[in-house]
Amino acid sequence: MRRGWKMAMSGGLRCCRRVLSWLPVLVIVLVVLWSYYAYVFELCLVTVLSPAEKVIYLILYHAIFVFFAWTYWKSIFTLPQQPNQKFHLSYTDKERYENEERPEVQKQILIDMAKKLPVYTRTGSGAVRFCDRCHLIKPDRCHHCSVCAMCVLKMDHHCPWVNNCIGFSNYKFFLQFLAYSVLYCLYIATTVFSYFIKYWRGELPSVRSKFHVLFLLFVACMFFVSLVILFGYHCWLVSRNKTTLEAFCTPVFTNGPEKNGFNLGIVKNIQQVFGDNKKFWLIPVGSSPGDGHSFPMRSMNESQNPLLANEEPWEDNEDDNRDYPEDTPSLALETET
């Protein structure tokens, strides 16, 4: 009886958590819908008097709005990609791993499995990165999201504003969403500003539209400042070919920690997110190269350079044996363990 009650409570809490997780998205949708009404009806159709100006404002606004809404939709509903089956422990390996009580033997089991896989990153102590919740060896740049309860390929962060985990499958859409959000706010602020001044000076009659126009400028400027900072930060990450998690916790490779391990140069770094075909860079369609399980690395290119062959190999010492936080929350907007 007591066990059934606990299970029911647990199920109810999970259901409430799912519902509450959509609240930030609902807030954004309501703000966007109000901004659409305020701009199209209260500004363009009521306040703006010139027919030519109305047409130009409405055409440009809707062009930006379509891409803004399209990228937001893709960021929300593009599911995070999980590691494929070959990274999961087989039933036999899982049973052997769980029944083994000696840590050193468990470590060797994972090492033997990792030899068959394209994995080059390690934990802070040099061990194979293993998720004991998903029972799989983590591919490079993969992390376990505590909110989504799964391992996500090339995980960047979990964003409550899209109620989704941002990773390999939708990072391009998330960046485009930030870019079009900045453009959306900037366009509204610049076109509304002249009418804000006219209302302020009393050149226009004080009607209901006045309050929508004044508040529209305030909201656009407020969101613009926060979004341009976030977008600028992610542009910096793309230019260095880093995820948010990698920026806060340096990835460790088989030869040691390397903060620029995936940095291929700015052009190739951008292509790693947006693809080689530039005509798809502004459109929210999948164009990121690869399958999210392995990535080109700077260290491999350097290892083929004879000038770097005499560098000392990384060794396990007391400092390197400390456990790095494998999955660390990085921004207020992110949740990842």
Side-chain angles (χ1 to χ4, degrees), residues 188-295:
I188 288 177
T190 52
T191 53
V192 166
F193 184 73
S194 61
Y195 291 94
F196 169 81
I197 297 298
K198 289 179 181 180
Y199 275 123
W200 187 267
R201 291 176 177 175
E203 297 175 10
L204 292 173
S206 181
V207 293
R208 186 186 63 179
S209 298
K210 173 182 178 179
F211 299 101
H212 285 283
V213 170
L214 298 183
F215 196 58
L216 189 60
L217 178 64
F218 170 75
V219 172
C221 291
M222 181 183 66
F223 275 95
F224 174 78
V225 171
S226 58
L227 286 168
V228 80
I229 293 172
L230 184 59
F231 179 60
Y233 174 70
H234 278 278
C235 286
W236 176 81
L237 290 177
V238 170
S239 71
R240 298 292 188 272
N241 201 359
K242 292 182 178 182
T243 64
T244 302
L245 291 172
E246 290 165 355
F248 281 79
C249 188
T250 301
V252 179
F253 295 84
T254 51
N255 61 337
E258 176 53 64
K259 64 180 181 179
N260 293 314
F262 296 104
N263 191 345
L264 308 174
I266 188 167
V267 174
K268 290 185 178 179
N269 291 343
I270 294 172
Q271 291 173 344
Q272 283 292 298
V273 176
F274 293 95
D276 299 329
N277 197 333
K278 293 182 180 179
K279 70 181 181 182
F280 294 126
W281 284 14
L282 300 179
I283 305 172
V285 295
S287 61
S288 301
D291 60 2
H293 291 83
S294 59
F295 302 89

Side-chain angles (χ1 to χ4, degrees), residues 37-52:
Y37 166 79
Y39 191 89
V40 172
F41 293 94
E42 299 296 345
L43 177 71
C44 292
L45 299 183
V46 176
T47 305
V48 178
L49 301 178
S50 170

Side-chain angles (χ1 to χ4, degrees), residues 54-337:
K54 287 184 180 185
V55 171
I56 294 172
Y57 277 13
L58 287 172
I59 289 175
L60 292 177
Y61 174 81
H62 282 93
I64 297 171
F65 182 82
V66 166
F67 279 94
F68 165 73
W70 188 5
T71 53
Y72 190 46
W73 176 275
K74 294 285 283 187
S75 299
I76 295 172
F77 294 106
T78 301
L79 296 176
Q81 193 171 336
Q82 302 179 63
N84 62 32
Q85 197 59 39
K86 72 177 182 179
F87 288 86
H88 288 75
L89 296 185
S90 65
Y91 178 79
T92 304
D93 290 330
K94 179 182 173 183
E95 198 171 54
R96 185 160 64 99
Y97 179 83
E98 291 180 345
N99 291 335
E100 181 56 60
E101 297 180 355
R102 293 168 295 179
E104 64 277 6
V105 179
Q106 286 184 324
K107 184 178 180 179
Q108 189 58 46
I109 292 172
L110 296 179
I111 290 173
D112 293 339
M113 291 187 61
K115 290 177 181 178
K116 307 172 188 176
L117 300 170
V119 290
Y120 302 98
T121 53
R122 298 290 185 262
T123 65
S125 61
V128 173
R129 298 170 64 243
F130 176 72
C131 180
D132 55 2
R133 285 158 286 189
C134 299
H135 302 290
L136 59 81
I137 291 177
K138 296 179 183 178
D140 294 342
R141 316 185 84 175
C142 173
H143 295 272
H144 185 90
C145 177
S146 60
V147 179
C148 298
M150 63 181 178
C151 284
V152 177
L153 294 178
K154 197 186 176 184
M155 179 175 176
D156 189 88
H157 68 283
H158 185 94
C159 180
W161 301 106
V162 299
N163 192 29
N164 201 2
C165 208
I166 306 302
F168 176 77
S169 62
N170 59 0
Y171 186 59
K172 175 191 173 183
F173 307 144
F174 178 74
L175 282 174
Q176 290 173 325
F177 164 62
L178 291 180
Y180 286 118
S181 297
V182 169
L183 184 59
Y184 182 75
C185 293
L186 181 62
Y187 177 78
I188 288 177
T190 52
T191 53
V192 166
F193 184 73
S194 61
Y195 291 94
F196 169 81
I197 297 298
K198 289 179 181 180
Y199 275 123
W200 187 267
R201 291 176 177 175
E203 297 175 10
L204 292 173
S206 181
V207 293
R208 186 186 63 179
S209 298
K210 173 182 178 179
F211 299 101
H212 285 283
V213 170
L214 298 183
F215 196 58
L216 189 60
L217 178 64
F218 170 75
V219 172
C221 291
M222 181 183 66
F223 275 95
F224 174 78
V225 171
S226 58
L227 286 168
V228 80
I229 293 172
L230 184 59
F231 179 60
Y233 174 70
H234 278 278
C235 286
W236 176 81
L237 290 177
V238 170
S239 71
R240 298 292 188 272
N241 201 359
K242 292 182 178 182
T243 64
T244 302
L245 291 172
E246 290 165 355
F248 281 79
C249 188
T250 301
V252 179
F253 295 84
T254 51
N255 61 337
E258 176 53 64
K259 64 180 181 179
N260 293 314
F262 296 104
N263 191 345
L264 308 174
I266 188 167
V267 174
K268 290 185 178 179
N269 291 343
I270 294 172
Q271 291 173 344
Q272 283 292 298
V273 176
F274 293 95
D276 299 329
N277 197 333
K278 293 182 180 179
K279 70 181 181 182
F280 294 126
W281 284 14
L282 300 179
I283 305 172
V285 295
S287 61
S288 301
D291 60 2
H293 291 83
S294 59
F295 302 89
M297 293 181 294
R298 179 183 178 184
S299 58
M300 284 199 164
N301 295 330
E302 290 180 347
S303 66
Q304 297 170 0
N305 188 339
L307 296 176
L308 302 175
N310 293 326
E311 288 190 354
E312 294 183 4
W314 175 65
E315 297 177 356
D316 273 346
N317 53 37
E318 290 185 2
D319 291 334
D320 294 328
N321 279 333
R322 67 185 183 278
D323 286 333
Y324 286 67
E326 185 68 28
D327 305 316
T328 308
S330 50
L331 291 176
L333 300 182
E334 302 157 4
T335 308
E336 198 272 348
T337 61

